[in-house]
Amino acid sequence: MKRIKNALLALLFILPVVAVATDASTYQEGKHYTVLNGLEPDKKPTVTELFSVYCPGCYKWEIGPLMQLKEWLGQNDIDFRQAHMSFMGNYARQASTALAMTAGTPKYDAVKQVLFNHLQVARKGDWRSDADFFATLDKAGLKESDYKSLQNSLPTMQTILNWNRYSRLVNSVPSFVVNNRYLINMSSVKSREELNGLISHLAQLSLSQ
């Protein structure tokens, strides 16, 4: 069963930054990370967050810890991207489609925010109809007509196909994958510094193989 990580991840970045060893022996396969097979490895260091707008823990990351993580990644020349998972919620597939068709455009963050706001801030529950869903998207400037014209476009379908590959490999969100090769075991991470060190280690490990 697909699961939502909640309290553990929400508490992670409440913890203080502490100094930890970051040599290779610090991190162990099976304890700190899992090796994923079946994905094309990234050629440049990249962290991918797998998330769902239905996930309260994902929203807590979005408005807090994720901003700190993205800043650190940028400082260390590590790319960041997101992939929306469709394994929970009646309108999860439509949410993924809306996010996929706006990925890489200025509308992406606006669409993501209105979807999160509906479910996690206003707590209106799942959308009751297509009209209800499109009314939410309209707040982000994504018209129903645009959605319908782009939903079957090649870029949208390719993005969704790529995201669905992750959904076959993970069973909870939010999850973080490094270089399309290593899935971080977030329950093993006790501080921001430890997470940063693990990401650095996995980024270099993947590129050295």
Side-chain angles (χ1 to χ4, degrees), residues 60-73:
K60 290 179 180 178
W61 268 82
E62 182 74 24
I63 62 175
L66 194 59
M67 292 186 284
Q68 298 168 329
L69 178 60
K70 289 167 67 175
E71 181 180 1
W72 179 85
L73 292 173

Side-chain angles (χ1 to χ4, degrees), residues 153-182:
S153 68
L154 182 59
T156 299
M157 298 302 293
Q158 185 60 58
T159 298
I160 292 174
L161 177 63
N162 291 338
W163 290 356
N164 286 343
R165 290 192 177 103
Y166 292 111
S167 68
R168 295 192 289 268
L169 299 172
V170 302
N171 60 11
S172 59
V173 289
S175 292
F176 294 85
V177 177
V178 180
N179 290 11
N180 260 8
R181 179 65 172 164
Y182 304 105

Side-chain angles (χ1 to χ4, degrees), residues 42-50 61 66 69-70 72-74 76-83 166 175-184 186 195-196 198-204:
D42 289 311
K43 297 179 180 179
K44 183 181 185 300
T46 303
V47 170
T48 304
E49 181 202 13
L50 314 182
W61 268 82
L66 194 59
L69 178 60
K70 289 167 67 175
W72 179 85
L73 292 173
N76 288 272
D77 198 27
I78 299 175
D79 288 345
F80 173 80
R81 63 178 175 233
Q82 291 180 310
Y166 292 111
S175 292
F176 294 85
V177 177
V178 180
N179 290 11
N180 260 8
R181 179 65 172 164
Y182 304 105
L183 175 65
I184 291 177
M186 294 300 292
L195 177 60
N196 294 349
L198 178 55
I199 290 173
S200 294
H201 169 68
L202 294 177
Q204 293 304 315

Side-chain angles (χ1 to χ4, degrees), residues 53-156:
V53 293
Y54 285 87
C55 165
C58 295
Y59 178 66
K60 290 179 180 178
W61 268 82
E62 182 74 24
I63 62 175
L66 194 59
M67 292 186 284
Q68 298 168 329
L69 178 60
K70 289 167 67 175
E71 181 180 1
W72 179 85
L73 292 173
Q75 293 170 349
N76 288 272
D77 198 27
I78 299 175
D79 288 345
F80 173 80
R81 63 178 175 233
Q82 291 180 310
H84 188 263
M85 301 293 97
S86 300
F87 49 57
M88 64 184 76
N90 294 335
Y91 273 79
R93 179 181 60 80
Q94 292 90 331
S96 286
T97 300
L99 290 165
M101 68 177 57
T102 57
T105 76
K107 283 188 178 180
Y108 173 81
D109 284 335
V111 169
K112 180 175 58 174
Q113 190 60 54
V114 296
L115 296 174
F116 266 135
N117 283 347
H118 180 94
L119 294 167
Q120 308 302 336
V121 180
R123 297 184 182 275
K124 294 181 179 180
D126 214 334
W127 288 274
R128 300 179 298 277
S129 65
D130 287 355
D132 186 25
F133 180 73
F134 288 126
T136 298
L137 293 184
D138 190 64
K139 296 176 183 177
L142 181 59
K143 303 295 184 182
E144 180 179 354
S145 57
D146 294 332
Y147 177 99
K148 290 183 175 179
S149 67
L150 293 172
Q151 63 180 339
N152 295 319
S153 68
L154 182 59
T156 299

Side-chain angles (χ1 to χ4, degrees), residues 6-51:
N6 199 340
L8 176 64
L9 293 177
L11 288 173
L12 173 61
F13 281 78
I14 296 175
L15 296 174
V17 177
V18 296
V20 295
T22 57
D23 60 279
S25 63
T26 302
Y27 306 111
Q28 303 172 24
E29 180 181 346
K31 178 180 180 181
H32 296 95
Y33 63 91
T34 300
V35 178
L36 299 179
N37 294 307
L39 298 173
E40 182 177 353
D42 289 311
K43 297 179 180 179
K44 183 181 185 300
T46 303
V47 170
T48 304
E49 181 202 13
L50 314 182
F51 79 106

